[in-house]
Amino acid sequence: MEVSATKGVNVLLGDPRKAIVAFSIPIAVALLAQQSNSLVDSFWVTGLGGNAMAALGLVSPIYSILVGIGSGLGIGASAAIARCIGMGRAEESGGIAAQSLIICIIAAIIATPVLLLTAEPVLIAIGAGPTIEASMEFAIPLYISAVLIFISGVMSGIMRGEGAVRRSMYIQVIGAIANLILDPIFIYSLDMGVAGAAWATTAAFGISIIIGLYWYFVKKDMFIKFRIKDMRPNIALQREILSVGLPQTAEFTVMSAFNVTFNFCIIMVGGTSAMAIYTVAWRLMYILLIPAQAMGGAIVSACSAEFGMKRYDMIRQAYLFSVKTSVLLLSVFAVTMCLLAGPIASVFTVAPDMQHLHGDMVVMLYIFASFIPIMSLIYIGSSLLQALKRSKTSLISTFIRNAMLAATFLIAAYCFGTLTSLWWAMFVTEVFGGALMGYWAYVVLKDVAKRDGRTLLPDT
């Protein structure tokens, strides 16, 4: 198999800065489509009232864990595939892709019954008491469809690993369009309520997977070729995937698990309605953070390939380019969010039981905007560590940041008891987290450079 078989592979093996630009744009579109699903859910569910909106937020940490498992395994597959291509072992990439799908199926077989059996007590434990009925209605369809969530994340990762980022974008965009169409039909036309939002989301995952499988198994015009022998369990290849995928999955899980504490504090201070506006605000934040997330996704593929080729100087250039670009873009987006804070809050506090929180949501958006630029260091730094097989370092940094945020949230909730104090606690922690991840990226770049006898960053 020739490594020049596709345009994406040629870009992957070229200048990493050009690769990051070429890859990050389709990844950004895909992420926008993915995040739009959540925002569209919020938009349509807001008409059902505060309890339904709060249900989305309360189930969100568990749903994020499911998405995190798929995304983490997808990142592991992407990094392993790109390294294989960089090292000239292109045929091995098909085995890695096949093993990643096998891991998804095994994970779903384990996770699905556990999620269904523990659904109600877990939701009650994380604060869904007053909204347990709506929360269960939203959660169960997502739990049943865990395998679709996992495979969707891995399918995108496989495509990014071989440089087919536009194909990855297409399946995400088509899925988002499907969700956009199905949401009002399921929620209102079929009178499924908040459960309709969940079923629309899972149907969107299924549609995107079918398209990906068609390209690989029917049309067969992708760089990676699945072979029957690759479908047999291969411990060595699974270990290669999990060396990055498992810490990354754990990182997503840590973030989602700590969200339980954040949700508890918000509900304690402001009730379920405050939980609703917090959920919407973070979904808006994720959309604004797309440039940093997209460049992070591009770094995983591009820098993994450079790592395989031992071109460490190019890794440094790619990292610095990504940091500068993402900080600039996020600064512009932060200013824009501040200017539009009032109208945004008006859209999501239209329900009678939400209108009193309009002012609180405006203040929250102002504070959140102030730390958006520094968060780019978290995404870019974490992705660099994954590409350089230092995912455990990224996991430790994420754990420290989230533990600190949980502590400051609890202090703010018990000592000050206002929503604004919670938002300022988040500001302090996210600034610290960005600085910490930036420091780790600096240290790891210097350490990796020593293997080649070069200094990527100047000594200080």
Side-chain angles (χ1 to χ4, degrees):
M1 184 185 298
E2 299 292 333
V3 294
S4 59
T6 65
K7 182 179 177 181
V9 170
N10 290 331
V11 174
L12 187 69
L13 299 178
D15 185 336
R17 290 169 297 184
K18 293 181 180 179
I20 286 171
V21 174
F23 292 169
S24 62
I25 294 174
I27 291 175
V29 174
L31 287 169
L32 179 60
Q34 189 179 56
Q35 294 300 332
S36 294
N37 279 340
S38 298
L39 201 60
V40 167
D41 286 347
S42 296
F43 175 79
W44 287 111
V45 171
T46 190
L48 299 176
N51 279 352
M53 281 290 290
L56 266 64
L58 288 162
V59 177
S60 181
I62 303 171
Y63 172 62
S64 295
I65 290 174
L66 298 179
V67 173
I69 292 172
S71 298
L73 294 175
I75 289 171
S78 177
I81 289 169
R83 275 196 300 273
C84 280
I85 294 174
M87 290 186 291
R89 303 206 307 261
E91 289 196 9
E92 191 175 311
S93 61
I96 292 173
Q99 295 303 309
S100 65
L101 293 178
I102 292 173
I103 293 172
C104 279
I105 294 171
I106 294 172
I109 291 173
I110 296 171
T112 302
V114 173
L115 288 167
L116 293 174
L117 290 172
T118 61
E120 187 170 353
V122 168
L123 289 170
I124 291 175
I126 63 178
T131 62
I132 186 60
E133 184 176 348
S135 296
M136 287 288 288
E137 288 178 9
F138 185 66
I140 296 302
L142 298 176
Y143 296 172
I144 292 173
S145 308
V147 67
L148 299 180
I149 299 173
F150 297 166
I151 293 178
S152 178
V154 166
M155 188 72 70
S156 294
I158 292 171
M159 292 179 182
R160 292 195 302 270
E162 67 166 86
V165 289
R166 291 196 176 186
R167 292 285 182 98
S168 177
M169 174 191 74
Y170 294 152
I171 64 174
Q172 295 289 340
V173 170
I174 293 171
I177 293 173
N179 185 69
L180 177 66
I181 295 171
L182 294 175
D183 251 345
I185 295 174
F186 284 10
I187 295 172
Y188 295 106
S189 298
L190 298 180
D191 197 26
M192 297 174 70
V194 70
W199 284 118
T201 297
T202 60
F205 279 121
I207 290 170
S208 64
I209 290 169
I210 290 171
I211 296 171
L213 293 176
Y214 170 77
W215 286 331
Y216 277 110
F217 292 97
V218 180
K219 197 173 183 182
K220 297 182 179 180
D221 62 344
M222 305 294 285
F223 178 73
I224 289 175
K225 308 300 180 184
F226 287 89
R227 299 169 297 182
I228 294 177
K229 67 177 184 178
D230 292 331
M231 301 304 293
R232 291 193 292 266
N234 187 316
I235 301 301
L237 293 183
Q238 290 180 5
R239 187 180 296 114
E240 181 70 14
I241 297 166
L242 295 174
S243 67
V244 172
L246 200 56
Q248 183 60 27
T249 298
E251 187 173 333
F252 284 126
T253 302
V254 164
M255 291 189 290
S256 300
F258 274 109
N259 277 338
V260 174
T261 301
F262 310 153
N263 293 349
F264 170 79
C265 292
I266 292 167
I267 292 173
M268 182 179 73
V269 172
T272 55
S273 296
M275 183 71 239
I277 64 168
Y278 172 76
T279 300
V280 170
W282 261 110
R283 289 182 173 179
L284 288 170
M285 283 276 289
Y286 281 131
I287 289 177
L288 298 185
L289 288 166
I290 281 176
Q293 296 178 65
M295 288 193 170
I299 278 180
V300 172
S301 298
C303 290
S304 291
E306 297 298 333
F307 189 60
M309 293 183 285
K310 300 183 179 180
R311 300 197 321 194
Y312 303 121
D313 56 329
M314 302 300 284
I315 294 174
R316 171 187 180 270
Q317 293 177 25
Y319 172 74
L320 294 178
F321 170 77
S322 299
V323 168
K324 292 175 183 177
T325 305
S326 61
V327 168
L328 176 61
L329 289 174
L330 264 58
S331 296
V332 173
F333 289 174
V335 171
T336 303
M337 188 164 85
C338 286
L339 295 175
L340 298 177
I344 290 172
S346 295
V347 170
F348 291 100
T349 57
V350 67
D353 60 344
M354 300 283 290
Q355 291 175 0
H356 68 286
L357 288 170
H358 180 274
D360 287 308
M361 188 169 184
V362 170
V363 172
M364 176 172 52
L365 293 175
Y366 284 152
I367 296 174
F368 282 14
S370 65
F371 61 77
I372 287 178
I374 195 68
M375 287 192 72
S376 62
L377 297 178
I378 296 173
Y379 290 100
I380 301 298
S382 177
S383 297
L384 177 73
L385 297 176
Q386 293 153 21
L388 302 184
K389 302 185 78 170
R390 302 297 182 89
S391 292
K392 291 181 181 179
T393 303
S394 178
L395 172 60
I396 292 170
S397 182
T398 297
F399 180 84
I400 292 172
R401 187 178 91 252
N402 281 274
M404 178 179 172
L405 183 56
T408 55
F409 253 51
L410 288 168
I411 292 170
Y414 283 100
C415 296
F416 300 97
T418 66
L419 292 175
T420 302
S421 67
L422 297 178
W423 314 148
W424 280 117
M426 183 169 290
F427 169 85
V428 171
T429 305
E430 295 297 356
V431 170
F432 168 80
L436 180 62
M437 192 67 81
Y439 168 76
W440 283 122
Y442 172 86
V443 170
V444 170
L445 274 173
K446 287 187 65 177
D447 181 56
V448 170
K450 292 176 183 177
R451 302 182 185 185
D452 200 41
R454 283 179 270 186
T455 302
L456 300 188
L457 292 175
D459 292 330
T460 56

